[in-house]
Amino acid sequence: MKRKHIQVRGVVQGVGFRPFVYNLARSLRLTGYVFNSSSGVTIEIEGDGSEIENFLRTLEEDPPQLAEIAQVTVSDIEVQGGAGFSILESREAHGEFALIPPDAGTCDACWSEFGDASNRRYGYPFTNCTHCGPRYTILRNIPYDRATTTMSTFTMCPACQAEYDDPEDRRFHAQPNACGACGPSLLLVQSAFTSGFENKDSLSIIRQARARLHEGKILAVKGLGGFLLACDATNEAAVVELRRRKRRPHKPFALMVRDRAAVRRLCIVTAEDEASLLSPRRPIVILPRRPGAELAAGIAPGDNTLGVMLPYTPLHFLLFSDSSQMESAFPALVMTSGNLSEEPIVISNDHAMRHLDGVADWFLVHNRDIATRVDDSVVRTFEGQERVLRRSRGFVPQAIALGIETEQVLAFGGELKNTFCLTKGGYAILSQHIGDLENYETMRFFEETLSNLKHIFNVTPRAAAYDLHPNYMSTRMAMASGMQRKIGVQHHHAHIASCMAENHLRGKVLGVALDGTGYGMDGKVWGGEFLEADFGGFTRRAHFRNVLLPGGDAAVRQPWRMARSYLRDTFGSHIPSGLQCFQGIGEKQLALVDTMLARQIQTVETSSCGRLFDAVAALLSIASEVTFEGQAAIALEAAAERGIEQRYNFEIGEEEPMILDFRPTIAAIVADVSRGRPAGEISARFHNTLSTAIAEVCTRIRATGALDRVCLSGGSFQNLYLLHRTVVELRHRGFGVFLHAQVPANDGGLSLGQAMIANQRLREGD
Ligand SMILES: [Zn+2]
Ligand SMILES: [Zn+2]
């Protein structure tokens, strides 16, 4: 006879871990108990030594589906005797943290119950179990128990309570457990309401909602992490109207389709893509669009990909049909965040009625509160691996293991696509996608989420890390944070450190950070950077040749200005005349920008890769004005013809930092445009030029030292054409190439890199 104390850390609460332990212990005739603590799950077991070994093996090798075990600590204790195995009340232990599970898409067992006309949960929109359903979005406090979630206001009916109490049932201790008799219910309304949730006939309400969608109406649908705006994706007028009301002229809309077959009708889907679509995270997956797919033209203009997700709750599924036996009412629905332009997603019923009034025609609401707003996540697969582009629902608050001890640090992230990052005990806790820190609402969202995650993970940061840009809102928030230690981190250094961190790299790497904008050490706008870097610091070994950015933000919104700037840099005052791309621009405006460039009025120098893409897209008449970040680059990538191997010339300077000079490229593009070469071919040649140039610069840097590991980071590497060719060229030259997967390559990944660099500085006692 032996007795052991077992402490399990990781994602072990809210995933059916205690019932799993209970059933396992009983099947092996072991006695003892299990309980949730704020450091994870604590177990004591007693019995036959070999059965205890079996217990431990199963615990580590075959845990519940959603569990992620980070650490199991086992110690021998005195035998106590006693009978039976029990689940004890949750206890709080201070100074530690438990890893809270993210929300999980409906599991197969729940799908089949909810689609079965003889089941008591037939058509019930909030069906869930220990293996699926809401978690982080309903969590108000830890430990994770019904009383600490927004389900605390619903009292379980006897049937649900019996499931909850029965250790043999798959809903044993499923905290959000509910059914039509006792759980949340729906309401379809057009304007403010105060009551009415007593109507339990979900299916009749859903059928009305479908009818409204059929009429071309826009519905605000309350989901897991916030409201989504839905309309029929094949109805051109509805899509146009949604764009107008949401003040979002071009940025692609995400789609939801009912099932796998429906995805395949719209997109080309690989096995890896399908695995992502069906994973419990249920993200939006960016997929190549199938030519001729029947959709409204306004879904994703100028883009040859679509962002598609599958229903992740029964409620979303019901928008298509009552059950899988019934034909789907829509090939696809637009599902875009319920907000105006770049504000945070709306989560409360009251707020939706006020804020989305005039945007949505109807509101499909329910009476389970959302504790934490979380947008849909976005991923894309590359080389068979899922790459996160927006890390939110399904991922957050899952901590990222760093394989290195860390201090408690708060990194404030960047300005666009903001996330923040807390580190503690060898883990990085990244916030969900907060958004662009451009308005008061988004800053509030940042602050709420920060206070929530600090509490859940019991973190008290002793240092703040921030971007060097003095005008970033995140920088200002760091300055105002009252923390004693504040550590400024260069933007592109943070990108590379982020890539290093998730790949568990130590020592020096060669980092290629390509993006639109980042504040440089010299006060210029950087964005085409080759850094020799580790967590301790960096040297700028090479960069794109600086050109002038005429008129700050205007130059970003109007890519033709960058075309003008590159032309002037290439040809001096003898800019070729008669270029078609400037025909739509007024003479006066052109003259103004030329004067700005000539006299360097309201200009800053930039080595931005994003702006080079803008210039080329404008020269090819692909994008002249844009309304969202990366639009011109996306259109240029979409235009690139496949199967073209030619490239243009470029030059690399001898002195350090080496200057990568694309003037020969620009001159050749102008010549090709003038002789009428197709834009698709020029775009491909331009991409090929860039990837070869990157590989060539890396090779020259390697010649001066032993840097043979390359980290690729920055938003420009979301361009798969560029990424693919660059990776191939680098590997061909013998480099080890490291990419992002768990955190975005774009500015959403900055905070992780900032946190790693701050940790290093603290360690060095700097
Ligand atoms: Zn389930
Ligand atoms: Zn019930």
Coordinates of all heavy atoms in Angstrom, one line a residue, residues 165-205:
D165 N -24.1 15.8 -11.3 CA -23.7 15.1 -10.1 C -23.2 13.7 -10.4 O -22.6 13.1 -9.5 CB -24.9 15.0 -9.1 CG -25.2 16.4 -8.6 OD1 -24.3 17.2 -8.5 OD2 -26.4 16.6 -8.2
D166 N -23.4 13.1 -11.6 CA -23.1 11.7 -11.8 C -21.7 11.6 -12.4 O -21.5 12.0 -13.6 CB -24.2 11.2 -12.8 CG -23.9 9.7 -13.2 OD1 -22.9 9.1 -12.6 OD2 -24.6 9.2 -14.0
P167 N -20.8 11.0 -11.7 CA -19.4 10.9 -12.2 C -19.3 10.1 -13.5 O -18.3 10.1 -14.2 CB -18.7 10.2 -11.0 CG -19.5 10.4 -9.8 CD -20.9 10.4 -10.3
E168 N -20.3 9.3 -13.7 CA -20.3 8.4 -14.9 C -20.8 9.2 -16.2 O -20.6 8.7 -17.3 CB -21.2 7.2 -14.8 CG -21.0 6.5 -13.5 CD -19.9 5.5 -13.5 OE1 -19.7 4.8 -14.5 OE2 -19.2 5.4 -12.5
D169 N -21.4 10.4 -15.9 CA -22.0 11.1 -17.0 C -21.0 12.0 -17.7 O -20.1 12.6 -17.0 CB -23.2 11.9 -16.5 CG -24.1 12.5 -17.6 OD1 -23.7 13.5 -18.2 OD2 -25.1 11.8 -17.9
R170 N -21.1 12.3 -19.0 CA -20.2 13.1 -19.7 C -20.4 14.6 -19.4 O -19.7 15.5 -19.9 CB -20.1 12.9 -21.2 CG -21.3 13.2 -21.9 CD -21.2 12.8 -23.4 NE -22.4 13.3 -24.1 CZ -22.4 14.5 -24.6 NH1 -21.4 15.3 -24.5 NH2 -23.5 14.9 -25.2
R171 N -21.4 14.9 -18.6 CA -21.6 16.3 -18.1 C -21.4 16.4 -16.6 O -21.7 17.4 -16.0 CB -23.1 16.7 -18.4 CG -23.3 16.9 -19.9 CD -24.5 17.7 -20.3 NE -24.5 18.0 -21.7 CZ -25.0 17.1 -22.6 NH1 -25.7 16.1 -22.2 NH2 -25.0 17.4 -23.9
F172 N -20.7 15.4 -16.1 CA -20.3 15.5 -14.6 C -19.4 16.8 -14.4 O -18.4 16.9 -15.0 CB -19.5 14.2 -14.3 CG -19.1 14.2 -12.9 CD1 -19.9 14.3 -11.8 CD2 -17.7 14.0 -12.6 CE1 -19.5 14.3 -10.5 CE2 -17.3 13.9 -11.3 CZ -18.2 14.1 -10.2
H173 N -19.9 17.6 -13.6 CA -19.2 18.9 -13.3 C -19.0 19.7 -14.5 O -18.0 20.5 -14.6 CB -18.0 18.7 -12.5 CG -18.2 18.3 -11.1 ND1 -17.4 18.7 -10.0 CD2 -19.3 17.7 -10.5 CE1 -17.9 18.2 -8.9 NE2 -19.1 17.7 -9.1
A174 N -19.8 19.6 -15.5 CA -19.7 20.5 -16.7 C -20.3 21.9 -16.2 O -21.5 22.0 -16.1 CB -20.4 20.0 -17.9
Q175 N -19.5 22.9 -16.0 CA -20.0 24.1 -15.3 C -21.1 24.8 -16.1 O -22.0 25.3 -15.5 CB -18.8 25.0 -15.0 CG -17.7 24.4 -14.2 CD -18.2 23.7 -12.9 OE1 -19.3 23.9 -12.4 NE2 -17.3 22.8 -12.3
P176 N -21.0 24.9 -17.5 CA -22.0 25.6 -18.2 C -23.2 24.7 -18.5 O -24.0 25.1 -19.4 CB -21.4 26.1 -19.5 CG -20.0 25.6 -19.5 CD -19.9 24.6 -18.4
N177 N -23.3 23.6 -17.9 CA -24.4 22.6 -18.3 C -25.8 23.3 -18.3 O -26.1 24.0 -17.4 CB -24.4 21.4 -17.3 CG -25.3 20.3 -17.8 OD1 -25.6 20.2 -19.0 ND2 -25.8 19.5 -16.9
A178 N -26.6 23.0 -19.3 CA -27.9 23.6 -19.4 C -28.7 22.8 -20.4 O -28.2 22.1 -21.2 CB -27.7 25.0 -19.9
C179 N -30.0 23.1 -20.3 CA -31.0 22.6 -21.3 C -32.1 23.6 -21.5 O -32.1 24.6 -20.9 CB -31.5 21.2 -20.9 SG -32.8 21.4 -19.6
G180 N -33.0 23.3 -22.4 CA -34.1 24.2 -22.7 C -34.9 24.5 -21.5 O -35.6 25.6 -21.5
A181 N -35.0 23.6 -20.5 CA -35.8 23.9 -19.4 C -35.2 24.8 -18.3 O -35.9 25.4 -17.6 CB -36.2 22.5 -18.7
C182 N -33.9 24.8 -18.3 CA -33.2 25.6 -17.2 C -32.2 26.6 -17.7 O -31.8 27.4 -16.9 CB -32.6 24.6 -16.2 SG -31.2 23.7 -16.9
G183 N -31.7 26.5 -18.9 CA -30.6 27.3 -19.3 C -30.9 28.6 -20.0 O -32.1 29.0 -20.0
P184 N -30.0 29.2 -20.6 CA -30.2 30.4 -21.4 C -31.2 30.2 -22.5 O -31.3 29.1 -23.0 CB -28.8 30.8 -21.9 CG -27.8 29.9 -21.1 CD -28.6 28.8 -20.7
S185 N -31.9 31.3 -22.9 CA -32.8 31.2 -24.0 C -32.6 32.4 -24.9 O -32.0 33.4 -24.6 CB -34.2 31.0 -23.5 OG -34.5 32.0 -22.5
L186 N -33.3 32.3 -26.1 CA -33.1 33.3 -27.2 C -34.3 34.3 -27.2 O -35.4 34.0 -26.7 CB -33.1 32.5 -28.5 CG -31.9 31.7 -28.9 CD1 -32.2 31.0 -30.2 CD2 -30.7 32.5 -28.9
L187 N -34.0 35.4 -27.9 CA -35.0 36.3 -28.2 C -34.6 37.0 -29.5 O -33.4 37.3 -29.8 CB -35.0 37.4 -27.1 CG -36.3 38.2 -26.8 CD1 -37.4 37.2 -26.5 CD2 -36.0 39.0 -25.6
L188 N -35.6 37.2 -30.4 CA -35.3 38.0 -31.7 C -36.1 39.3 -31.6 O -37.3 39.3 -31.5 CB -35.8 37.1 -32.9 CG -35.6 37.8 -34.2 CD1 -34.1 37.8 -34.6 CD2 -36.3 37.0 -35.3
V189 N -35.4 40.4 -31.5 CA -36.1 41.7 -31.3 C -35.5 42.7 -32.3 O -34.5 42.5 -33.0 CB -35.8 42.2 -29.9 CG1 -36.6 41.4 -28.9 CG2 -34.4 42.3 -29.6
Q190 N -36.3 43.8 -32.5 CA -35.9 44.8 -33.4 C -35.4 46.1 -32.6 O -34.7 46.9 -33.2 CB -37.1 45.2 -34.3 CG -36.7 44.9 -35.7 CD -37.8 45.3 -36.7 OE1 -39.0 45.2 -36.3 NE2 -37.4 45.7 -37.8
S191 N -35.8 46.2 -31.4 CA -35.4 47.4 -30.6 C -35.3 47.0 -29.2 O -35.5 45.8 -28.8 CB -36.4 48.5 -30.8 OG -37.7 48.0 -30.5
A192 N -34.9 48.0 -28.4 CA -34.7 47.7 -27.0 C -35.8 46.9 -26.3 O -37.0 47.1 -26.6 CB -34.5 49.1 -26.2
F193 N -35.4 46.1 -25.4 CA -36.4 45.2 -24.7 C -36.0 45.1 -23.2 O -34.8 45.4 -22.9 CB -36.4 43.8 -25.3 CG -35.1 43.2 -25.2 CD1 -34.9 42.2 -24.1 CD2 -34.0 43.5 -26.0 CE1 -33.7 41.6 -24.0 CE2 -32.8 42.9 -25.8 CZ -32.6 42.0 -24.8
T194 N -36.9 44.7 -22.4 CA -36.5 44.5 -21.0 C -36.7 43.1 -20.5 O -36.1 42.7 -19.6 CB -37.3 45.5 -20.1 OG1 -38.7 45.4 -20.5 CG2 -36.8 46.9 -20.2
S195 N -37.6 42.4 -21.2 CA -37.8 41.0 -20.7 C -38.2 40.2 -21.9 O -38.1 40.6 -23.1 CB -39.0 41.0 -19.7 OG -40.1 41.5 -20.3
G196 N -38.7 39.0 -21.7 CA -39.2 38.1 -22.8 C -38.4 36.9 -23.0 O -38.7 36.0 -23.8
F197 N -37.4 36.7 -22.1 CA -36.6 35.5 -22.3 C -37.3 34.2 -21.8 O -36.7 33.1 -21.9 CB -35.2 35.7 -21.5 CG -34.3 36.5 -22.3 CD1 -33.9 37.7 -21.8 CD2 -33.7 36.1 -23.5 CE1 -33.0 38.5 -22.4 CE2 -32.8 36.9 -24.2 CZ -32.4 38.1 -23.6
E198 N -38.5 34.3 -21.3 CA -39.2 33.1 -20.8 C -39.6 32.2 -22.0 O -39.9 31.1 -21.8 CB -40.4 33.5 -19.9 CG -41.4 34.4 -20.5 CD -41.0 35.8 -20.5 OE1 -40.0 36.2 -19.9 OE2 -41.7 36.6 -21.0
N199 N -39.6 32.8 -23.2 CA -40.0 31.9 -24.3 C -38.9 30.9 -24.6 O -37.7 31.2 -24.9 CB -40.1 32.8 -25.6 CG -40.6 31.9 -26.8 OD1 -40.6 30.7 -26.7 ND2 -41.0 32.6 -27.8
K200 N -39.2 29.6 -24.4 CA -38.2 28.6 -24.5 C -38.2 27.9 -25.9 O -37.4 26.9 -26.1 CB -38.4 27.5 -23.4 CG -38.3 28.0 -22.0 CD -36.9 28.3 -21.6 CE -36.9 28.9 -20.2 NZ -35.5 29.3 -19.8
D201 N -39.0 28.3 -26.8 CA -39.1 27.6 -28.1 C -38.0 28.1 -29.0 O -38.3 29.0 -29.9 CB -40.5 27.7 -28.7 CG -40.6 26.8 -29.9 OD1 -39.7 26.2 -30.3 OD2 -41.7 26.9 -30.5
S202 N -36.8 27.7 -28.8 CA -35.7 28.2 -29.6 C -35.9 28.0 -31.1 O -35.6 28.9 -31.9 CB -34.4 27.5 -29.2 OG -34.2 27.4 -27.8
L203 N -36.4 26.8 -31.5 CA -36.4 26.6 -32.9 C -37.3 27.5 -33.7 O -37.0 28.0 -34.8 CB -36.9 25.1 -33.2 CG -35.7 24.1 -33.1 CD1 -36.3 22.7 -33.3 CD2 -34.6 24.4 -34.1
S204 N -38.5 27.9 -33.0 CA -39.4 28.8 -33.7 C -38.7 30.2 -33.8 O -38.9 30.9 -34.9 CB -40.7 28.9 -33.0 OG -40.6 29.7 -31.9
I205 N -38.0 30.6 -32.8 CA -37.3 31.9 -32.9 C -36.2 31.9 -34.0 O -36.1 32.8 -34.8 CB -36.6 32.2 -31.5 CG1 -37.7 32.5 -30.5 CG2 -35.7 33.4 -31.6 CD1 -37.3 32.5 -29.1

